[in-house]
Amino acid sequence: NARDSEKLTGILEQIGYVEEEEENQADFVIYNTCTVRENANQKVYGHLGQLNRVKKKNPHMLIGLCGCMMQEPEVVEKLKKSYRFVDLIFGTHNIFKFAELVATRLESDRMVIDIWKDTDKIVEDLPSERKFSFKSGVNIMFGCNNFCSYCIVPYVRGRERSRNPKDIIREIESLVADGVVEVMLLGQNVNSYGKTLEEPMTFAQLLQEIEKIEGLERIRFMTSHPKDLSDELIEVMAQSQKICKHLHLPVQSGSTRILEKIKAAVPDISLTTDIIVGFPGETEEDFQETLDVVRKVRYDSAFTFIYSKRTGTPAAVLEEQVPEEIVKDRFDRLLKEVQSISAEVCSVHTKTVQRVLVESVNDHDDSLVTGRMSNNLLVHFPGEKDLVGKLVDVRLDTCKGFYYLGEMVASIRV
Ligand code: 5AD
């Protein structure tokens, strides 16, 4: 979604818009929505209520909505009925038409709606306004075929389709020429990259091609599904100089066998995950097993979610939805366990020197900068703004649970 937003911003800049920080002052406001959990939708309706008041004072303001939530027919029906002041609605499959849709709205005087159910196309070379100069997301595939029973993504992002490797390499090369040193390869299910290509190719093969790009220092990817996590990929990760030592493997589909294999091949791998609490029918015993997984794997960190009922998914019609108080209590217990383990696991790097990519000046203290290690941990250390985008070596002095305080020992690239 963040990458899509960069494309939306890029398109708007190309047609002459200038970014305005203050939402109330803007002539055009666009929300790129998420719908993975119901509260994301609720937030959008809340924002729209507020914007409606602003628009009453400033009738020329245009309001656009796009992204995953718009792929749900009930949402669009609701907007058509109760949110008539929205000007433009489109979905996930036709971002490339954004400029045209804005023009259509300006020429007509009606709500413009353009939602595609699915697509087999990939449109290349969209403009994009990158948030960071030194790192960038790169889409390698779109959509998902897994249909996990709770998950709405396959319904709103369509079927799996992979970008041509040549297009991916070309994009990364031009990003590198523009100063990018780290890429995050993006896909709902990156491990099944390449299956739908005319000349099929594996994700591991793609990684090897990307590794060859001169000037590129770091490669990350997100998100993996264990079903397609091949031995070949583990081997490539173990051999690679550039692939970061971090694997985000949502445990709602985890496997001991695969975890052990990757830990053996890449001993200092950092493992992170997603966990859902309160899936219909979850008993206290089931929940204890979730805690058990957390204790056994000892995750570096985990995103924890309360199960959200998404209309249209198989799990939504299951009886035995778990009562809210029970879910909340389990969620709190899980979070405590995750946080205390993560503090212990993260602290093992204390006093070591790690290479980090400096991402920003620290939000709270501008004498500090913030760098990201290969294993995805952050370290704050004294440094100037001109370090942003550089790879430097930092000694990790104190562990603060999820992050470190440290001191720079050497700068690698000037
Ligand atoms: N309820 C709660 N969490 C969900 N996720 C996906 N669908 C749901 C749902 N219906 C979580 C999963 C996934 C992450 C992106 O969001 O953990 O990995």
Side-chain angles (χ1 to χ4, degrees):
N1 272 24
R3 181 66 180 148
D4 285 347
S5 292
E6 291 183 338
K7 292 179 189 168
L8 294 164
T9 315
I11 294 174
L12 282 179
E13 295 212 336
Q14 290 271 314
I15 59 174
Y17 281 87
V18 177
E19 199 167 333
E20 165 63 57
E21 295 284 326
E22 192 50 57
E23 191 175 84
N24 295 350
Q25 303 290 323
D27 298 313
F28 182 47
V29 176
I30 174 104
Y31 282 130
N32 183 17
T33 61
C34 168
T35 190
V36 76
R37 288 171 297 276
E38 177 66 24
N39 64 356
N41 295 33
Q42 292 313 324
K43 276 193 202 152
V44 171
Y45 293 124
H47 281 299
L48 282 178
Q50 265 173 318
L51 270 189
N52 189 20
R53 283 190 286 282
V54 179
K55 188 166 174 167
K56 285 205 171 110
K57 283 190 226 137
N58 174 13
H60 298 292
M61 178 190 240
L62 290 185
I63 301 172
L65 291 169
C66 64
C68 295
M69 189 178 154
M70 301 305 122
Q71 293 293 140
E72 293 178 89
E74 314 83 69
V75 168
V76 177
E77 279 315 305
K78 179 165 170 166
L79 292 169
K80 281 208 291 212
K81 229 170 101 199
S82 314
Y83 295 81
R84 293 298 312 166
F85 57 92
V86 171
D87 296 284
L88 171 60
I89 298 175
F90 59 100
T92 54
H93 301 300
N94 51 351
I95 284 185
F96 71 93
K97 282 183 71 183
F98 187 26
E100 185 187 329
L101 293 171
V102 172
T104 309
R105 172 62 189 81
L106 292 172
E107 282 160 13
S108 72
D109 211 21
R110 301 213 318 271
M111 192 185 226
V112 171
I113 304 180
D114 191 3
I115 312 280
W116 298 6
K117 248 189 113 48
D118 199 353
T119 183
D120 54 3
K121 287 198 185 59
I122 292 176
V123 177
E124 291 292 336
D125 296 319
L126 289 183
S128 130
E129 189 55 38
R130 289 202 320 273
K131 186 167 166 207
F132 299 96
S133 58
F134 53 87
K135 67 170 185 176
S136 179
V138 175
N139 301 105
I140 62 166
M141 60 172 326
F142 302 89
C144 183
N145 293 350
N146 285 334
F147 288 96
C148 298
S149 63
Y150 51 83
C151 188
I152 200 152
V153 169
Y155 305 89
V156 296
R157 286 280 177 181
R159 293 295 67 71
E160 270 179 26
R161 55 213 180 274
S162 295
R163 274 178 82 191
N164 222 306
K166 285 204 185 74
D167 293 328
I168 298 170
I169 303 283
R170 192 168 50 100
E171 179 179 350
I172 299 177
E173 281 171 349
S174 79
L175 286 168
V176 169
D178 198 30
V180 165
V181 291
E182 177 179 299
V183 290
M184 169 74 89
L185 308 178
L186 298 169
Q188 270 77 29
N189 184 16
V190 288
N191 296 353
S192 68
Y193 171 81
K195 290 186 178 164
T196 54
L197 289 171
E198 234 161 69
E199 287 170 49
M201 176 181 201
T202 63
F203 179 50
Q205 287 166 341
L206 176 72
L207 282 169
Q208 283 171 298
E209 290 306 308
I210 296 174
E211 174 115 16
K212 290 182 198 150
I213 298 175
E214 226 170 287
L216 182 67
E217 304 279 350
R218 280 181 163 188
I219 306 168
R220 298 182 184 278
F221 53 85
M222 199 173 65
T223 293
S224 291
H225 190 300
K227 159 169 88 53
D228 309 294
L229 197 143
S230 63
D231 288 0
E232 187 196 10
L233 173 61
I234 292 176
E235 186 58 29
V236 167
M237 282 183 82
Q239 300 303 324
S240 168
Q241 298 302 309
K242 295 187 180 176
I243 301 172
C244 286
K245 293 182 189 292
H246 175 213
L247 185 61
H248 184 72
L249 199 58
V251 77
Q252 56 255 22
S253 41
S255 147
T256 308
R257 192 167 42 83
I258 290 168
L259 292 175
E260 283 172 356
K261 212 185 287 176
I262 186 101
K263 278 192 168 176
V266 190
D268 43 357
I269 193 89
S270 150
L271 284 173
T272 63
T273 194
D274 292 350
I275 300 172
I276 298 175
V277 177
F279 184 84
E282 182 189 76
T283 63
E284 177 60 26
E285 257 165 33
D286 294 331
F287 173 68
Q288 285 301 330
E289 288 181 356
T290 300
L291 287 179
D292 190 48
V293 173
V294 167
R295 290 181 190 127
K296 283 200 176 118
V297 180
R298 297 179 63 74
Y299 287 107
D300 289 72
S301 72
F303 293 108
T304 48
F305 303 107
I306 287 181
Y307 167 73
S308 166
K309 184 169 165 178
R310 309 305 291 115
T311 310
T313 61
V317 292
L318 294 178
E319 289 161 12
E320 298 186 88
Q321 305 275 335
V322 185
E324 199 177 315
E325 324 80 68
I326 297 187
V327 180
K328 284 220 171 101
D329 174 62
R330 286 181 192 162
F331 182 77
D332 291 344
R333 284 187 280 155
L334 174 67
L335 196 62
K336 235 165 103 191
E337 192 72 49
V338 164
Q339 287 178 342
S340 84
I341 291 174
S342 139
E344 278 173 41
V345 175
C346 294
S347 71
V348 304
H349 308 287
T350 309
K351 301 294 171 213
T352 64
V353 171
Q354 301 284 335
R355 186 153 300 177
V356 309
L357 175 57
V358 184
E359 298 206 331
S360 60
V361 174
N362 190 283
D363 286 344
H364 304 290
D365 178 350
D366 62 14
S367 71
L368 301 179
V369 292
T370 301
R372 190 181 296 270
M373 303 171 212
S374 171
N375 65 15
N376 219 34
L377 280 177
L378 297 178
V379 54
H380 307 295
F381 58 99
E384 297 293 322
K385 193 170 144 205
D386 59 356
L387 286 175
V388 172
K390 302 221 163 78
L391 284 156
V392 301
D393 282 346
V394 174
R395 191 186 57 244
L396 308 178
D397 293 325
T398 12
C399 179
K400 294 280 185 185
F402 304 106
Y403 63 91
Y404 277 94
L405 297 178
E407 198 85 43
M408 184 164 93
V409 293
S411 167
I412 315 301
R413 280 154 52 100
V414 219

